[in-house]
Amino acid sequence: MKFNSLVFVLLFLAALLARPSGAAPAAEVASASGRERLSLDRGWRFFEGDIPFPAINTHRLSYENAKAGKAWGAAAPNYDDSTWRTVDLPHDWAVEQPFDPAANISQGYRRRGIGWYRRSFHLAAADRGRHLEVQLDGIATHATVWINGVLAHRNWCGYTSSYIDITSFAKFGDEVNTIAVRVDADAQEGWWYEGAGIYRHTWLLKRSPVHIETDGVFANPIRTAEGRWSIPVEVTLNSSDRDAAQVQVESTLLDPQGGVVVTAGTRLVVAPLASSVATFQLAVTAPQLWSLEEPTLYRVRTVVRRGGVVVDDLVTTCGFRTIRFDAAEGFFLNDQPVKLLGTCNHQDHAGVGVAVPDSLWEFRLRRLKEMGSNAYRCAHNPPAAEFLDACDRQGMLVMDESRNFGATPEKLDQLAWMVRRDRNHPSIILWSVFNEEPSQGTAMGYEMVRRASAVVKRLDTMRPVTAAQNDPGSTLLPVNASRAADVVGFNYAYRDFDAFHAAYPNRPLFSSEDTSTVMTRGEYVTDLERGVLDSYDTQAMPWGLTHREAWRQVAERPYVAGTMVWTGFDYRGEPQPLEWPATGSSFGIMDLCGFPKAAFYLHQAQWIQDRPILHLVPHWNWAGAEGQPIQVMALTNAAQVELWLNGRKVAEGPVDKYEMVTFEVPYAPGRLEAVARTDGAEVARFVVETTGAPAALRLVPDRPRLAGDGYDAMPVTVEVVDAQGRVVPYADSLVDFALEGPGRIIGLNNGDPTSHEPEKGSRHSVFHGLAQVILQSAFAGQGQLALRATSPGLESAEVVLDVATVAPVPAVPVAAPSLVLSNWKRSPVTAERPDPMLAMGNTDMNTWSNYAPGELIPLTDGRFAIFRIQFTPHQATREAGGQILLRDVVGRAEIWLDGERVATKTDEAGRSLTLPLAAGAGPHTLSVVIETTATGAPAGLGGIATIE
C-alpha cells in the first residue's frame, strides 16, 4: 500500500472512532479519489396535501407534456414553494396527525394522505463530468421523483431505496438543481403503522465517471472446509465516461486497529455506459472472530486506479464468523451452539413514528441485549441501513426480510436490492422472502419461493433462505413453499414442530414468530372496557401462547433453532384484542418507549444464565385491598424463592424454569422482599415497596451527552417519584417541558396504547409514573442543553446535558430561494428587426427553438432574434416586487415586459442587466430582442436569468 493511502485510512478510522456511537448518519468526507457522499437531509420544503397538476387542454401544452424534462405544477423546477414548511429529514408527517376513530385501525387510527417535498441545491462547475447520484433511502409509501423537471424515478415500495443517476441532466454553476417528490402515503403495503413521508436519510453521491457502483462491493469472509479463511471480493464497476477505461482494482483488509492485513487486486476494462465485475481473493490467517459477546469488525478498503491515479475508493465493513443451521441441533455460530433468543419488531418508536434517529436504533438494541435477546427479525421489511450497522457493532443476529412477495420482475428486483445492500453485514444470518402468504401451501407458493431463492443465491450463497409459514399443517403438504427454502420458518405452528421433524429429519427449522401475548405496562387486572390488559402473562391471543409456554415449546426441542417473539416493542396499529380508544399494539415485551413490561423480566429469567436474575410483579400499592390476596410472580433464574412482607416470611417455593413461581400474598402496605436461592445459597434479593404520594419529578437521560451534529438524539425518562425518590406506579401527572440550549424536543410519549395525546410539542402526561422525552441536538451545536420539567403540585426537575462539538456531517448546502428563468424560446433569426410582440402559433412546434441561458448562439441567418419566456413570480415578489437579473447579455438588446419596453442595451459586449419588477400576480411575458452588427456573431444570454 502506498504511504498516502495508508495515511488516508488511518485518518478515516480516527474520524470514525472519534464520533459518539450512533451520533450521525454515515456520510463520507471527500476521499483520496474525490468521492463524496453528502447529506441532503436539511432544508426540505414540505407541503401536506396533494397539489393537482394543471389541465392539459391545448395542442401546445399536450406537445410539451409529452417531452422529456417537462414537469408541471409542484414538480416543475420553478414552482413557488416559498410558503411551504421547512423540515429536516428523516420526517414522518403521520405521527404529527391527531388520532381519528374513522381512520384505519391497522395504521394506528391516523390519517396519512399525500404530501410533497422539494429541495434545491447547487453543483459547482468542477462537478461537471463526475458521476452524480441522488439517493433516497426510504419513502412511505409510494413516490414519484422529478429532478430538474425530469421524471427521474418511481418507487412503489416504501422500504427500498431509490438510487437516481442525475449525471445527464444535472445543472452546474449558478443554475439550481431541484428535487420534487410526491409521496402517496394512502397506499398501503403492511397491516401496521407505516408512517408517511421521506422517513430515512437522503444523499448526494459524487464519484468519478469510472466508479464503484452503489452497493457494488461484496466482501463477506468465508471459511473453507479445510479451515482456511478468505474474503472473495466482488467489485462492480460502472462507467459514465465516453471511452473504455482500463483500471486496476485493489482491496486491502484492515484489522480493528487499522493495521493492514492483506492486499490483492486485478485489472479489467470497463466499457462506456456499462458495468464490469472484478473478482479476487483476500487470504487471511487466524482472524479475530465476530461474536455476540465480541462483535469484532474489520474494514475492507477498495481502490480503483486509472492510469495509476486513484479515481474511486470505498471502505466497507465485514466480520469473520461462521453460521450453520443444523436439522438436529439448531443454530451454530462459530461452531458453537446458540439458541436464537429473538424478537420481531416493526420500525416505529415513541414520539418520532418511523423517522427514527440513528442513535435510537442503538438505544433499542441495547434494551434488547439487556433483556438477554441475541436475535432480531425485521418485521416485515428491510430495515434502515444504519440499524444494521448498529447490529454489527452490538452483536445482534438479524433475520432480514423483504416486504413484497412475488415472482414479478419488480418484486424480485426489490428482493435483489435488499440482498445487494445488506450482504456484507456479519449480523445477518437469514434472508426471509415472505411472511404468512396465502399461497404458502400451494404449488404457486413453492414456485415463487423457488424463484426468490434463486435471486438470493445469485447474490449470496453463504446465508440460508427462509419463509415464515403460519398455515397449520402447510409445511407437511407434498408441495408447499417450505420445500424451496433452506430453513423452515414456523409462525405459531407449534403443533407442527415434531411432525415436521419426524417427516423431514434433515430439514432445519425455527420458530420464526411466536407468543402473541398482550399486556399493558403497569396493569394487573384486565379490563377490556378501559382498554387494559393484565401483565401476568395470561392474555395470549387465540393463535398464540403465553411467553412461558411459547418458550417451553422452543427450549425443550434442541432441533428448533430458536424463537422470534412477537414482539420486542409495542408499535402503532394492531391494538388487538382491543379497538378504539386503543390505537397501538400491546404485544411488546416493552412498550412503545422501551419501558419494560413484566415480560421483559420474564425473558431475562429465561434467557440469561451468566448472572442471577430476580424481579417481582406487581408493584405494592394496593390501597383499599388490605387483607385481600394479591398475586405475586417471582421472575428468576434461581431455584427457590422466599417472600418476606415487612420482615415476616409469608411464602416460599421452588421455581419452574418455564412457569416461574407465583404466590398469593394478603396485602399489607410496606416492604415486600424476595430472596432467591440456588443450592441453598442466596443469589439475589429484590424489593417492592408501597410508595408515598407523588411529590416530585425526576429526569433520567439515557446518556450524559449529545453530539452537536443535528442528528444525535436520546430519550430522557420522566419519572414521578414520592418523597423518598421511589417511582409512584399510579401517577398520571401532566408535565410541561422547557428546553434551553442547542437542541430541540422531537417527540413525547408515555407508552400508553390508549393515549391520544400529541406526540409533538412540549406537554405530555406520565403513564404509571413514566414518560419519555426525546431530545435532538442542533446542527453545529455546542455547550449545554437544559431540559426542565414542571407539573402542578410536584417539585420540578432539570437535567443538563453536554452538547459536544463534533465535525459536521458533510452536507449539500440549501440553495437560496430564487426564481430561475430557464425555459426560454428563441424565434427564427431574421435580417430585419422583428416585432417584439411576434407570437408563436399554438400549433407551431418547429419555427421557435428551445433555449437555455448560459449558451451563446451564432445568428447565422441574420442579425436579430427574440428570446422569450413567460413566468409567474414567487409569492414574496408578487406581494412586494423585486428585480429581474439578466446575466451576461451579449449583443444589442431591447427588453420588453408585458408588451412594454423597459430597457435598452446599445453595446454588444456582454454585461448584466437589472430591471425592476413591480408587485403583481402575473404571469409575465419577458421578451429580449437581440441584435448583432455582424451576421453569424454569437449572441444571447451568457448567464442564467433570475427573479430576485
Side-chain angles (χ1 to χ4, degrees):
M1 173 178 282
K2 293 184 178 180
F3 175 74
N4 61 347
S5 298
L6 179 57
V7 170
F8 166 79
V9 170
L10 294 176
L11 290 174
F12 181 85
L13 294 176
L16 284 178
L17 294 172
R19 295 198 70 86
S21 175
E28 298 170 2
V29 297
S31 67
S33 65
R35 164 191 281 257
E36 297 176 88
R37 188 176 188 235
L38 306 172
S39 172
L40 275 169
D41 284 348
R42 294 183 63 182
W44 288 76
R45 299 279 192 171
F46 170 65
F47 179 86
E48 185 182 334
D50 202 6
I51 299 174
F53 289 94
I56 307 296
N57 53 15
T58 68
H59 179 72
R60 176 170 296 282
L61 293 179
S62 298
Y63 182 85
E64 293 178 355
N65 182 65
K67 302 304 178 184
K70 183 59 181 179
W72 306 97
N78 282 334
Y79 184 83
D80 183 8
D81 59 17
S82 60
T83 61
W84 292 11
R85 172 183 163 198
T86 299
V87 299
D88 296 325
L89 305 182
H91 177 237
D92 175 2
W93 84 71
V95 76
E96 303 169 358
Q97 307 304 310
F99 295 98
D100 181 350
N104 188 330
I105 183 175
S106 295
Q107 297 288 340
Y109 290 110
R110 275 184 159 128
R111 299 285 182 185
R112 300 169 70 207
I114 292 172
W116 282 83
Y117 294 83
R118 287 170 57 89
R119 173 67 149 83
S120 297
F121 61 95
H122 289 287
L123 288 168
D127 288 326
R128 193 182 299 273
R130 302 176 76 183
H131 189 87
L132 304 168
E133 183 173 282
V134 167
Q135 300 178 343
L136 310 174
D137 282 353
I139 305 173
T141 299
H142 292 176
T144 307
V145 184
W146 293 263
I147 301 180
N148 294 336
V150 174
L151 178 55
H153 187 71
R154 288 188 175 100
N155 188 23
W156 303 140
C157 179
Y159 304 97
T160 59
S161 296
S162 301
Y163 303 149
I164 307 170
D165 178 2
I166 68 168
T167 308
S168 61
F169 48 87
K171 299 178 180 180
F172 303 92
D174 292 331
E175 293 192 273
V176 176
N177 294 274
T178 301
I179 307 171
V181 184
R182 182 183 184 272
V183 181
D184 177 2
D186 279 331
Q188 274 184 234
E189 291 182 272
W191 51 96
W192 58 87
Y193 176 86
E194 297 183 277
I198 307 178
Y199 71 98
R200 291 180 182 169
H201 294 301
T202 55
W203 310 94
L204 174 65
L205 190 55
K206 302 179 181 181
R207 291 170 288 191
S208 165
V210 180
H211 57 274
I212 301 167
E213 272 190 5
T214 300
D215 303 330
V217 174
F218 184 28
N220 185 52
I222 62 172
R223 190 186 65 186
T224 67
E226 296 75 25
R228 299 187 183 92
W229 284 97
S230 69
I231 302 179
V233 179
E234 178 183 296
V235 182
T236 304
L237 302 179
N238 181 269
S239 175
S240 56
D241 209 347
R242 298 179 182 180
D243 301 309
Q246 185 171 15
V247 298
Q248 180 181 6
V249 183
E250 182 180 88
S251 290
T252 299
L253 180 66
L254 306 172
D255 66 23
Q257 292 73 42
V260 174
V261 178
V262 63
T263 298
T266 189
R267 294 181 180 274
L268 74 161
V269 174
V270 187
L273 302 179
S275 296
S276 297
V277 180
T279 58
F280 47 89
Q281 297 273 340
L282 296 174
V284 185
T285 302
Q288 302 174 55
L289 298 185
W290 184 94
S291 67
L292 301 175
E293 300 75 24
E294 295 185 28
T296 303
L297 294 173
Y298 284 69
R299 293 175 175 84
V300 176
R301 183 187 182 223
T302 302
V303 175
V304 181
R305 292 184 177 87
R306 185 179 186 183
V309 177
V310 175
V311 295
D312 200 9
D313 59 317
L314 180 66
V315 175
T316 55
T317 58
C318 67
F320 290 82
R321 91 290 183 265
T322 62
I323 60 171
R324 175 168 58 91
F325 283 84
D326 185 90
E329 300 179 83
F331 176 71
F332 286 76
L333 177 66
N334 298 328
D335 298 321
Q336 299 299 312
V338 173
K339 202 78 165 179
L340 297 178
L341 312 174
T343 62
C344 306
N345 294 284
H346 289 309
Q347 59 177 2
D348 60 317
H349 187 82
V352 296
V354 294
V356 180
D358 300 346
S359 47
L360 280 189
W361 295 128
E362 300 267 4
F363 165 78
R364 287 164 67 93
L365 287 171
R366 279 191 278 111
R367 299 312 301 266
L368 290 170
K369 294 275 284 189
E370 179 186 348
M371 185 180 71
S373 178
N374 62 20
Y376 189 107
R377 180 187 179 194
C378 302
H380 303 287
N381 49 265
E386 294 77 16
F387 167 79
L388 294 174
D389 292 337
C391 290
D392 289 346
R393 290 191 297 267
Q394 293 201 30
M396 180 68 75
L397 303 170
V398 175
M399 174 180 169
D400 204 356
E401 189 160 278
S402 61
R403 168 75 295 273
N404 294 311
F405 176 57
T408 63
E410 182 177 357
K411 292 180 179 179
L412 293 177
D413 284 348
Q414 291 174 8
L415 174 62
W417 166 84
M418 180 185 79
V419 176
R420 279 178 58 86
R421 186 196 66 165
D422 297 346
R423 58 187 175 170
N424 287 319
H425 290 282
S427 55
I428 294 176
I429 60 169
L430 282 165
W431 302 116
S432 175
V433 298
F434 80 56
N435 174 71
E436 299 182 356
E437 287 291 329
S439 61
Q440 61 192 268
T442 68
M444 181 178 80
Y446 166 78
E447 287 295 342
M448 289 197 294
V449 171
R450 190 165 73 94
R451 284 158 175 77
S453 181
V455 168
V456 173
K457 301 300 185 188
R458 283 197 293 270
L459 297 167
D460 176 30
T461 61
M462 302 308 298
R463 298 175 182 87
V465 169
T466 190
Q469 296 192 203
N470 69 319
D471 192 359
S474 67
T475 56
L476 297 171
L477 295 174
V479 178
N480 71 86
S482 74
R483 299 293 181 91
D486 304 309
V487 176
V488 182
F490 286 80
N491 283 15
Y492 308 103
Y494 312 98
R495 67 179 67 88
D496 292 348
F497 287 162
D498 293 337
F500 182 87
H501 184 60
Y504 305 101
N506 296 320
R507 300 290 308 281
L509 66 91
F510 77 117
S511 185
S512 46
E513 183 176 321
D514 57 41
T515 309
S516 275
T517 294
V518 289
M519 59 179 68
T520 305
R521 175 177 61 81
E523 296 285 351
Y524 297 94
V525 177
T526 293
D527 185 341
L528 297 182
E529 289 188 4
R530 289 178 52 227
V532 297
L533 304 154
D534 78 69
S535 295
Y536 287 115
D537 191 33
T538 63
Q539 301 296 309
M541 298 300 286
W543 58 85
L545 298 173
T546 65
H547 287 277
R548 291 168 290 174
E549 185 57 30
W551 173 239
R552 183 198 302 271
Q553 297 294 324
V554 173
E556 290 185 340
R557 292 170 170 82
Y559 63 83
V560 178
T563 180
M564 295 288 180
V565 176
W566 189 265
T567 56
F569 296 85
D570 280 346
Y571 54 94
R572 296 166 178 82
E574 283 198 306
Q576 303 164 9
L578 309 171
E579 294 183 354
W580 183 269
T583 63
S585 85
S586 298
F587 291 107
I589 296 169
M590 291 173 273
D591 68 16
L592 196 62
C593 300
F595 296 137
K597 303 182 189 178
F600 181 93
Y601 306 106
L602 172 59
H603 282 291
Q604 276 192 328
Q606 292 173 337
W607 291 352
I608 294 176
Q609 303 301 321
D610 60 353
R611 58 185 171 88
I613 297 295
L614 176 61
H615 191 89
L616 289 182
V617 294
H619 56 74
W620 207 239
N621 282 58
W622 299 99
E626 286 77 7
Q628 298 179 28
I630 301 297
Q631 183 179 349
V632 177
M633 291 183 69
L635 310 173
T636 182
N637 54 9
Q640 183 103 7
V641 169
E642 302 168 357
L643 287 186
W644 296 73
L645 178 59
N646 296 327
R648 181 174 65 88
K649 183 189 289 188
V650 293
E652 65 178 322
V655 177
D656 182 279
K657 66 180 181 179
Y658 300 116
E659 293 297 318
M660 303 289 120
V661 60
T662 299
F663 306 99
E664 298 288 332
V665 179
Y667 176 66
R671 176 186 176 92
L672 181 65
E673 183 172 18
V675 179
R677 302 182 185 276
T678 297
D679 297 329
E682 180 182 321
V683 294
R685 286 178 179 254
F686 188 86
V687 174
V688 291
E689 294 180 305
T690 306
T691 71
L697 296 169
R698 183 165 60 204
L699 299 174
V700 183
D702 180 57
R703 292 180 274 124
R705 74 168 192 167
L706 283 164
D709 53 24
Y711 288 96
D712 195 13
M714 79 163 70
V716 176
T717 298
V718 184
E719 299 176 341
V720 174
V721 298
D722 68 4
Q724 298 183 45
R726 299 170 297 192
V727 174
V728 180
Y730 58 82
D732 59 0
S733 307
L734 183 62
V735 184
D736 286 291
F737 303 96
L739 190 67
E740 293 184 2
R744 57 185 179 137
I745 296 173
I746 62 171
L748 303 152
N749 205 292
N750 61 16
D752 178 4
T754 66
S755 173
H756 295 170
E757 294 179 70
E759 295 184 70
K760 304 295 182 181
S762 59
R763 170 179 288 186
H764 210 284
S765 64
V766 300
F767 178 60
H768 292 304
L770 301 177
Q772 186 175 86
V773 180
I774 302 174
L775 305 181
Q776 188 169 56
S777 66
F779 290 100
Q782 59 179 331
Q784 291 189 320
L785 188 62
L787 175 67
R788 183 173 179 81
T790 58
S791 184
L794 301 179
E795 182 181 339
S796 62
E798 184 173 276
V799 64
V800 178
L801 303 170
D802 290 329
V803 179
T805 303
V806 296
V809 174
V812 180
V814 179
S818 64
L819 175 59
V820 179
L821 305 181
S822 54
N823 297 316
W824 293 72
K825 293 287 187 179
R826 177 183 62 81
S827 73
V829 178
T830 60
E832 302 296 330
R833 177 184 177 276
D835 179 356
M837 299 300 102
L838 177 67
M840 291 183 289
N842 187 49
T843 60
D844 180 2
M845 309 304 162
N846 300 296
T847 58
W848 287 66
S849 304
N850 294 315
Y851 176 73
E855 59 176 300
L856 300 178
I857 60 169
L859 303 186
T860 55
D861 298 325
R863 297 169 39 224
F864 294 91
I866 303 172
F867 297 80
R868 179 176 294 158
I869 191 168
Q870 189 175 74
F871 67 92
T872 298
H874 289 172
Q875 180 169 324
T877 307
R878 296 198 300 269
E879 293 175 351
Q883 58 186 16
I884 303 170
L885 179 56
L886 302 175
R887 292 172 177 83
D888 195 22
V889 179
V890 177
R892 297 175 182 176
E894 297 175 16
I895 295 88
W896 293 72
L897 180 64
D898 298 332
E900 295 185 8
R901 184 163 62 183
V902 294
T904 301
K905 176 177 175 284
T906 58
D907 59 300
E908 296 194 38
R911 63 184 177 89
S912 298
L913 301 177
T914 301
L915 313 170
L917 179 64
H924 299 289
T925 300
L926 179 64
S927 298
V928 181
V929 181
I930 297 286
E931 176 190 4
T932 62
T933 56
T935 300
L941 305 179
I944 66 169
T946 58
I947 306 298
E948 305 291 341

